[in-house]
Amino acid sequence: MSGHDEKRVAAGLKAAIHNPNVSEEAKERAQERLEHMGTSVETTSASRGNGNYPVGSTDETGHETNRVLGGYKATLHNPRTSDEAKQHAREILDADGYQFERPEGVTEDEHQKRVNAGYKAALNNPRVSEGAKQHAREYLEQHGGL
């Protein structure tokens, strides 16, 4: 498929079909292309990933899968990112099975505790840059984690 990850292409086509801003003609072309790929709108959701990739695993283009998905997650929280870019990131993450809502039964306090634990872990990780550690310290100070 000329260097493109077939799963990602299918996810993008599925997103186009469900996007209200896409013309009917484009939706029909996307549906035809999905059928040509041997899949359909119904089967693309069943073939999504579960987001559990081994550390260091790469896609067909040689990019580390977890880092690529992490970049899309960062896009969602970046205030300088356009709404269009955030929507694209949501579509990619959704196609991979990423949950946007907090899991059932996890309170706001528990969520904050987990976030703080991640920042504390960064402080002790030798592979984290000094700038990132400084950011972690500032965050923890602001949120009562230190």
Side-chain angles (χ1 to χ4, degrees):
M1 175 158 263
S2 71
H4 292 289
D5 183 353
E6 190 168 331
K7 183 175 83 171
R8 299 272 185 236
V9 172
L13 293 169
K14 179 183 172 191
I17 290 169
H18 294 292
N19 186 335
N21 297 323
V22 173
S23 71
E24 287 304 314
E25 181 182 353
K27 289 179 182 183
E28 289 172 15
R29 282 196 314 266
Q31 181 65 42
E32 289 170 5
R33 191 158 170 214
L34 280 171
E35 290 168 4
H36 178 71
M37 291 170 62
T39 189
S40 68
V41 173
E42 293 75 30
T43 60
T44 54
S45 62
S47 65
R48 325 190 278 208
N50 62 4
N52 295 324
Y53 299 99
V55 173
S57 64
T58 58
D59 60 17
E60 292 176 357
T61 61
H63 296 104
E64 285 190 46
T65 307
N66 287 329
R67 292 186 186 274
V68 170
L69 293 174
Y72 284 118
K73 290 176 189 177
T75 298
L76 296 176
H77 301 289
N78 185 341
R80 294 177 296 203
T81 304
S82 70
D83 290 338
E84 293 82 14
K86 287 182 180 184
Q87 181 59 35
H88 175 70
R90 276 188 205 90
E91 291 167 0
I92 295 295
L93 290 168
D94 184 50
D96 196 64
Y98 177 76
Q99 291 183 334
F100 293 94
E101 284 79 37
R102 191 175 306 127
E104 190 173 318
V106 175
T107 65
E108 180 63 34
D109 288 340
E110 180 65 22
H111 173 70
Q112 189 60 49
K113 186 186 298 182
R114 291 177 181 180
V115 170
N116 287 352
Y119 280 114
K120 287 178 182 178
L123 293 175
N124 297 310
N125 186 336
R127 297 186 334 190
V128 173
S129 71
E130 202 48 51
K133 287 181 179 184
Q134 181 59 37
H135 172 74
R137 280 185 209 93
E138 292 169 3
Y139 181 90
L140 289 167
E141 287 172 4
Q142 291 173 355
H143 294 88
L146 278 182

